[in-house]
Amino acid sequence: MPTGPDPPDWIVEQPGLTALALLSGLLALFVLLPYLQYVLFGVVLAYVLFPVQGRLERYVRPTIAAIVVVVATVLVVLVPLVYVIRVAVRQSLEVVDSIRRERFDVDTIEDALETDEYSVDLVALYESNQGRIASSIQEITMGTIDLVGSLPRLFIGLTVTLFVLFALLRDGNRLVAWIGWVLPVDDGTFEELRTGLDRLMWASVVGNVAVAAIQAVMLGIGLAIAGVPAIVFLTVATFVLTLLPLVGAFGIWIPAAVYLVTVGRPTASVAMVVYGLLVTFSDTYFRPALIGRTSAFNSAIVVVGIFGGLVVFGAVGLFIGPVVLGGAKLVLDCFARGHTGTSTARTTLEDADSGSGSANTFAETAVDSDDEGGSDE
């Protein structure tokens, strides 16, 4: 029976120290878990704002620059964000109340859709599904309230976020150097991991979120002009839906167009459809422009990462979840390369039995597509 590779010398020679290091890391993780999403939120903000910190350090000391950036973040990002979430939750509850009180005039939609050959009974359809619609919106709203949490917990969590943000802005470079010194990997592998994670963060945090924010604001302006109620709630919902591939703003502007028909404004409804299509297809231009630096994500990683990230990390999982999945693939690639001694999966495939040609062709195609995507950087 073949034996596995020998363990590294530092594990054999100092097992007690190794066990102590693992135990310390595990205990530290338990300390972080209660406010993990706020810590990760601070990491996301620090990544986005680090270029600003670098520019300010040309004129003032790092500590002063970090204080200025943190204060600006509170005034420009956190306070408006908390206010927008509060308004969105209130408006969503009003929508639930309107549905339960049957304030939507579905008879108007039914009259608009009826023809000589075809008629629909939207009243019966609406009444049969009224409870489900209201319950779904209420569940989403209550989920948002649970994510935000109680006021004391929210205050403590945002305080943790601000301290993490300050520490990373001031000492981020030293922290990265310390991690490289502590991890038992060679310098080349660490640099590859650092570069790959930087690209993942760029694609998920900067690129994907920027595209979603632009489209949400665009559609929100259109909804406001059209006179659709609950603008803030619908804009926030557009932002969340636009983060998901193949979903986008369709889920908002189509119901908005239907609503405009119900209130007797068919011309505004047609205009909403045209404008909604413009917002949706703008994704074709914005996404390559902002996320074109990396091909690290595909639709499966984004969708699973977003929904899984929401469950594990809370609201910040919208951005961190895809990074975790993409980072896992990156780490496993480095591990496999070090373990097999090959630079790509193609070398291993070429050594495989020729009888599995169809599987080899499929895998080689996947590897080639990854290489071609990476050449765009």
Side-chain angles (χ1 to χ4, degrees):
M1 182 176 180
T3 59
D6 294 331
D9 293 337
W10 54 271
I11 293 181
V12 176
E13 296 175 358
Q14 295 182 319
L17 184 59
T18 301
L20 183 60
L22 293 175
L23 179 61
S24 300
L26 185 61
L27 291 176
L29 179 61
F30 282 128
V31 172
L32 289 175
L33 281 178
Y35 291 95
L36 181 60
Q37 62 175 313
Y38 295 100
V39 173
L40 293 176
F41 187 34
V43 172
V44 170
L45 288 176
Y47 177 81
V48 175
L49 297 172
F50 199 76
V52 179
Q53 170 77 12
R55 293 189 178 184
L56 287 178
E57 287 183 5
R58 300 175 185 175
Y59 309 101
V60 296
R61 294 190 305 171
T63 300
I64 303 299
I67 292 175
V68 172
V69 174
V70 169
V71 172
T73 301
V74 172
L75 298 178
V76 178
V77 178
L78 295 184
V79 172
L81 180 62
V82 171
Y83 175 76
V84 167
I85 292 177
R86 174 178 173 274
V87 174
V89 170
R90 189 188 74 238
Q91 290 185 353
S92 65
L93 292 175
E94 292 174 355
V95 171
V96 172
D97 182 66
S98 297
I99 293 175
R100 294 195 182 279
R101 294 176 181 272
E102 303 183 15
R103 292 179 184 173
F104 291 106
D105 185 11
V106 294
D107 291 330
T108 305
I109 306 178
E110 184 177 318
D111 294 339
L113 293 178
E114 285 184 348
T115 63
D116 294 337
E117 296 83 11
Y118 178 73
S119 63
V120 292
D121 189 1
L122 286 180
V123 175
L125 182 63
Y126 171 75
E127 290 177 350
S128 63
N129 293 278
Q130 175 185 352
R132 295 188 184 95
I133 297 172
S135 298
S136 298
I137 298 178
Q138 189 170 20
E139 287 178 6
I140 295 173
T141 301
M142 297 310 297
T144 304
I145 294 174
D146 292 338
L147 289 173
V148 173
S150 62
L151 186 59
R153 179 178 175 83
L154 177 63
F155 177 78
I156 296 174
L158 290 180
T159 302
V160 171
T161 296
L162 293 178
F163 274 100
V164 170
L165 174 61
F166 173 79
L168 291 178
L169 288 175
R170 188 186 63 179
D171 303 318
N173 288 327
R174 283 189 285 179
L175 176 63
V176 172
W178 176 80
I179 293 175
W181 176 66
V182 169
L183 288 180
V185 297
D186 59 84
D187 293 341
T189 301
F190 177 76
E191 182 62 24
E192 180 182 354
L193 290 173
R194 189 195 65 79
T195 303
L197 288 175
D198 176 60
R199 291 170 181 165
L200 289 169
M201 288 288 288
W202 169 269
S204 180
V205 176
V206 178
N208 208 32
V209 171
V211 172
I214 292 172
Q215 290 188 313
V217 171
M218 289 175 61
L219 188 59
I221 293 173
L223 293 172
I225 295 175
V228 177
I231 297 297
V232 176
F233 167 67
L234 294 178
T235 301
V236 173
T238 302
F239 172 78
V240 175
L241 291 179
T242 309
L243 290 172
L244 302 176
L246 307 179
V247 179
F250 280 108
I252 300 300
W253 62 259
I254 291 179
V258 173
Y259 166 80
L260 291 172
V261 174
T262 68
V263 297
R265 300 176 59 194
T267 303
S269 177
V270 172
M272 177 55 62
V273 170
V274 174
Y275 185 72
L277 288 172
L278 175 64
V279 172
T280 298
F281 289 120
S282 67
D283 184 272
T284 306
Y285 301 98
F286 289 135
R287 199 169 294 274
L290 293 173
I291 314 181
R293 284 180 48 182
T294 180
S295 59
F297 290 138
N298 57 37
S299 297
I301 287 180
V302 173
V303 172
V304 176
I306 285 175
F307 286 112
L310 281 172
V311 175
V312 176
F313 302 117
V316 75
L318 282 169
F319 324 119
I320 294 296
V323 175
V324 171
L325 288 185
K329 178 184 179 300
L330 180 65
V331 172
L332 290 175
D333 285 343
C334 292
F335 173 79
R337 183 167 55 252
H339 179 68
T340 62
T342 58
S343 59
T344 64
R346 185 184 295 107
T347 305
T348 304
L349 294 170
E350 291 173 351
D351 295 336
D353 183 31
S354 59
S356 57
S358 59
N360 289 351
T361 302
F362 174 81
E364 287 175 359
T365 302
V367 174
D368 288 338
S369 63
D370 286 344
D371 291 343
E372 290 173 2
S375 63
D376 293 335
E377 298 168 12

